[in-house]
Amino acid sequence: WMRQMLFWRLRLLALRNKTARFFLILSIVLAVLAGYFSSHAEVMLFGLCFLSGQMAAIALSFQIAEDLKYVWIERNIGISHDRYIQVIRAISFFIGISLSLICFGSQLIGRMSSNLSVDWILLWKLFLVTFVPAFMVPQVVFQIDARRPGVQVLVLLLSGVFVCTAVYASLWSILLRSEEHTSELQSPDH
């Protein structure tokens, strides 16, 4: 049942819901554009990758709002709320990973074609920044009112900025600390 419902939901997201499809295509375009601007400042790359993930989260929010109009049909055929949430989690994970891989790959190709050194730490940070907004959708969308995608977009934007900035900064500080520790160990005093 899970696989069938997953493919059905993905089909609805990509083919039937025009608003969700628009935001999904926009998210892919932004992920590819991040690779084109790979030689620019980290802030710009962070913004492009975050917006890419955010557009995917918006697409999921609009699809969930549309789904809830017809929830009675699913209940009549025996699909519980828990099963629905499992499918939404799987879809958001799938979309988040797919988009993150597109962003990661476009960054890698962009850096290699520009003869820039590949900064693996930066690529992993951008991977996470792209992944987090779409992954947050099932955790956030039912907290206020899932039938109002405008409210969900605002909540996802604010919480996404907070979480992605924290992920980006904490990963950076952890890596700096490990580099400082490594340099201390390599100093002649030790």
Side-chain angles (χ1 to χ4, degrees):
W1 69 266
M2 176 79 160
R3 186 173 41 162
Q4 293 167 337
M5 197 166 165
L6 185 67
F7 287 128
W8 180 60
R9 291 268 175 228
L10 283 171
R11 195 164 150 245
L12 287 176
L13 180 70
L15 301 176
R16 282 191 77 192
N17 191 332
K18 291 178 184 177
T19 307
R21 180 177 48 214
F22 169 76
F23 283 109
L24 201 56
I25 291 170
L26 186 59
S27 69
I28 294 168
V29 169
L30 287 169
V32 172
L33 272 178
Y36 181 74
F37 292 107
S38 60
S39 61
H40 288 69
E42 272 189 52
V43 173
M44 184 173 186
L45 297 176
F46 175 88
L48 282 171
C49 290
F50 174 74
L51 284 176
S52 174
Q54 193 64 39
M55 293 302 118
I58 291 170
L60 287 165
S61 295
F62 275 98
Q63 183 58 47
I64 290 169
E66 186 68 23
D67 288 347
L68 290 177
K69 291 178 184 176
Y70 307 104
V71 72
W72 60 272
I73 295 172
E74 292 176 352
R75 291 220 174 127
N76 285 339
I77 60 173
I79 298 173
S80 69
H81 179 71
D82 290 335
R83 284 186 175 179
Y84 176 74
I85 297 295
Q86 284 177 336
V87 170
I88 294 299
R89 282 188 180 138
I91 288 172
S92 65
F93 183 81
F94 173 75
I95 288 175
I97 288 290
S98 300
L99 205 54
S100 297
L101 289 173
I102 291 170
C103 189
F104 188 91
S106 69
Q107 276 292 312
L108 195 59
I109 291 168
R111 288 185 170 280
M112 289 179 166
S113 65
S114 301
N115 292 327
L116 296 172
S117 64
V118 177
D119 185 356
W120 294 104
I121 296 167
L122 174 65
L123 289 179
W124 284 114
K125 286 193 284 188
L126 295 175
F127 180 92
L128 290 172
V129 165
T130 309
F131 174 74
V132 166
F135 184 70
M136 284 176 40
V137 171
Q139 285 73 9
V140 172
V141 80
F142 293 105
Q143 298 299 320
I144 297 176
D145 185 4
R147 294 170 291 172
R148 297 175 57 196
V151 173
Q152 297 307 321
V153 168
L154 183 61
V155 170
L156 285 165
L157 177 66
L158 293 174
S159 58
V161 165
F162 176 74
V163 171
C164 287
T165 305
V167 164
Y168 201 80
S170 65
L171 186 59
W172 188 66
S173 67
I174 289 169
L175 293 171
L176 278 180
R177 270 191 241 127
S178 69
E179 286 177 13
E180 288 173 5
H181 183 68
T182 304
S183 64
E184 285 175 9
L185 291 174
Q186 293 174 351
S187 71
D189 296 339
H190 283 84

